[in-house]
Amino acid sequence: MNKLYIGNLGEDAAPSDLESIFKDAKIPVSGPFLVKAGYAFVDCPDEGWALKAIEALSGKTELHGKPIEVEHSVPKRQRIRKLQIRNIPPHLQWEVLDSLLVQYGVVESCEQVNTDSETAVVNVTYSSKDQARHTEEIPLKILAHNNFVGRLIGKEGRNLKKIEQDTDTKITISPLQELTLYNPERTITVKGSIETCAKAEEEIMRKIRESYENDVASMNLQAHLIPGLNLNALGLFPPTPGMPPPTSGPPSAMASASPYAGFLLSQQSETETVHLFIPALSVGAIIGKQGQHIKQLSRFAGASIKIAPAEAPDAKVRMVIITGPPEAQFKAQGRIYGKIKEENFVSPKEEVKLEAHIRVPSFAAGRVIGKGGKTVNELQNLSSAEVVVPRDQTPDENDQVVVKITGHFYACQVAQRKIQEILTQVKQHQQQKALQSGPSQSRRK
């Protein structure tokens, strides 16, 4: 390679200055010096003279008080040891920037450029060209809720592979093991040039947005199936911006539009107790090390969660006692279902199906069953859960009997909420009956 790159030149550097330097070093050139702003090019007769120029002049000869750099002229991406980094936020500490830069190699210098903007600009010089070239591929990191990641990946990774192929990027996603109760997000890392990363981000966000909108639409369609449950209080979706709360209307409507909707409705909702039966082998995973997982789960859901002792040494299931309002039940049971799936206590292709018991007043059991089993059959068809009210059971000391519900998470939730709705109707009917009978008795007296 005979063509030379001469860098670190001042603004007033002229071709005649460079001619003098090369003449003094007795290095011939085979063409004129092409001077640009801060650098220049020149051709040598052969590669031997080019190497001598680099050895004799690079970093050893000054022009207007600045040491010149002489290197082989190669494509820009391979040539430059210097980088300019822009749009550095003012709150970023320099120690953090330094730690990021040294990940790619040895930094010879890092100089701040004076600008009028609020963000900073620095010129960075690495010890080698390769190190500077590697920094051009800056990873883009995106946080996305785990609920959307599966659909982003697609069946057998097809969606993700297509985005990679279309945008010429490499995309990786953090493993499920990094998820916690309070951090349900996964990190999507995109590697490539700035342009390709921008294209990949657009495709990723479009896919995530589609998943979000589909979930919201599905939840709105199914909201009537889960009566008594405040979907806003569950924290599944962020509140819609720009929607002012109503100034009048029923308390429930005002509460749901309030920032404190979850608190208000949880206060109004009655506390329920559900006995959820889980595989005995999964108890350790639910409890966690020194009970940390079950404590976090209890705080997250706002429910009391206890695991009853095993009925026998070889018992295959254990009973989890969950006490709390409907929103707390939804959160706690959902996390337990999810934990059993994540820890592979069921096969990957199998859906988690658990049995839940709720106690109802014995006088209301007939309403749950319905005439000829009509109500319970409709309930099973609606929820896809198996609902059984054993006819031969004896009421307990509180005159209550057990209703058994078996199915996947949403099936169980729909069934539980529908049964609670029936119980609420029974209680309201009794209260109205009591109010009507009260005045008639007083008139007789």
Side-chain angles (χ1 to χ4, degrees), residues 261-271 325 327:
F263 174 78
L264 292 172
L265 288 186
S266 292
Q267 290 292 92
Q268 295 169 359
S269 302
E270 289 189 12
T271 297
E327 295 77 27

Side-chain angles (χ1 to χ4, degrees), residues 40-61:
F41 297 101
V42 70
D43 289 324
C44 288
D46 54 45
E47 188 175 353
W49 283 113
L51 289 172
K52 288 181 181 179
I54 293 171
E55 293 174 1
L57 302 176
S58 185
K60 301 175 183 178
T61 302

Side-chain angles (χ1 to χ4, degrees), residues 6-22:
I6 306 168
N8 201 33
L9 302 180
E11 294 180 358
D12 51 353
S16 57
D17 297 325
L18 296 174
E19 289 174 4
S20 298
I21 291 174
F22 273 69

Side-chain angles (χ1 to χ4, degrees), residues 159-172:
N159 292 346
L160 207 59
K161 288 176 183 176
K162 187 176 188 305
I163 295 175
E164 286 181 322
Q165 292 170 357
D166 292 347
T167 61
D168 192 24
T169 55
K170 176 65 177 176
I171 304 173
T172 56

Side-chain angles (χ1 to χ4, degrees), residues 156-339:
E156 299 178 353
R158 291 172 187 169
N159 292 346
L160 207 59
K161 288 176 183 176
K162 187 176 188 305
I163 295 175
E164 286 181 322
Q165 292 170 357
D166 292 347
T167 61
D168 192 24
T169 55
K170 176 65 177 176
I171 304 173
T172 56
I173 298 176
S174 60
L176 282 169
Q177 288 77 4
E178 295 182 7
L179 296 176
T180 66
L181 282 173
Y182 299 99
N183 180 31
E185 295 175 325
R186 294 172 71 179
T187 304
I188 304 167
T189 303
V190 185
K191 290 185 178 180
S193 65
I194 294 175
E195 293 80 9
T196 58
C197 282
K199 291 179 183 177
E201 180 196 14
E202 184 178 354
E203 291 299 314
I204 290 170
M205 297 310 297
R206 182 180 62 80
K207 193 68 180 176
I208 290 175
R209 184 68 189 177
E210 283 179 3
S211 301
Y212 170 81
E213 291 174 348
N214 289 339
D215 283 358
V216 172
S218 176
M219 190 63 75
N220 288 337
L221 288 173
Q222 296 182 18
H224 69 283
L225 298 178
I226 316 180
L229 189 66
N230 177 22
L231 300 179
N232 291 332
L234 297 177
L236 295 178
F237 306 105
T240 305
M243 293 295 289
T247 55
S248 62
S252 59
M254 296 179 68
S256 63
S258 165
Y260 306 100
F263 174 78
L264 292 172
L265 288 186
S266 292
Q267 290 292 92
Q268 295 169 359
S269 302
E270 289 189 12
T271 297
E272 303 168 1
T273 298
V274 177
H275 294 171
L276 190 65
F277 292 84
I278 63 174
L281 295 175
S282 68
V283 170
I286 300 298
I287 295 175
K289 188 177 181 180
Q290 297 179 346
Q292 287 300 312
H293 185 266
I294 198 168
K295 289 177 184 176
Q296 288 181 346
L297 176 56
S298 181
R299 287 194 297 268
F300 166 78
S304 168
I305 304 172
K306 298 177 181 179
I307 297 181
E311 295 182 356
D314 57 346
K316 293 184 178 181
V317 294
R318 293 281 294 276
M319 182 171 68
V320 182
I321 305 170
I322 307 170
T323 305
E327 295 77 27
Q329 292 287 348
F330 189 96
K331 288 182 178 181
Q333 293 180 45
R335 288 295 189 184
I336 291 172
Y337 270 82
K339 188 69 174 175

Side-chain angles (χ1 to χ4, degrees), residues 373-387 414:
K374 181 181 178 182
T375 303
V376 75
N377 288 334
E378 290 177 349
L379 185 56
Q380 291 184 123
N381 292 332
L382 176 68
S383 66
S384 299
E386 181 184 356
V387 182
V414 171

Side-chain angles (χ1 to χ4, degrees), residues 339-357:
K339 188 69 174 175
I340 291 173
K341 181 69 173 178
E342 290 170 13
E343 298 291 340
N344 297 319
F345 290 107
V346 296
S347 64
K349 295 183 179 180
E350 186 181 354
E351 204 167 10
V352 179
K353 291 187 177 181
L354 301 178
E355 182 175 317
H357 291 184

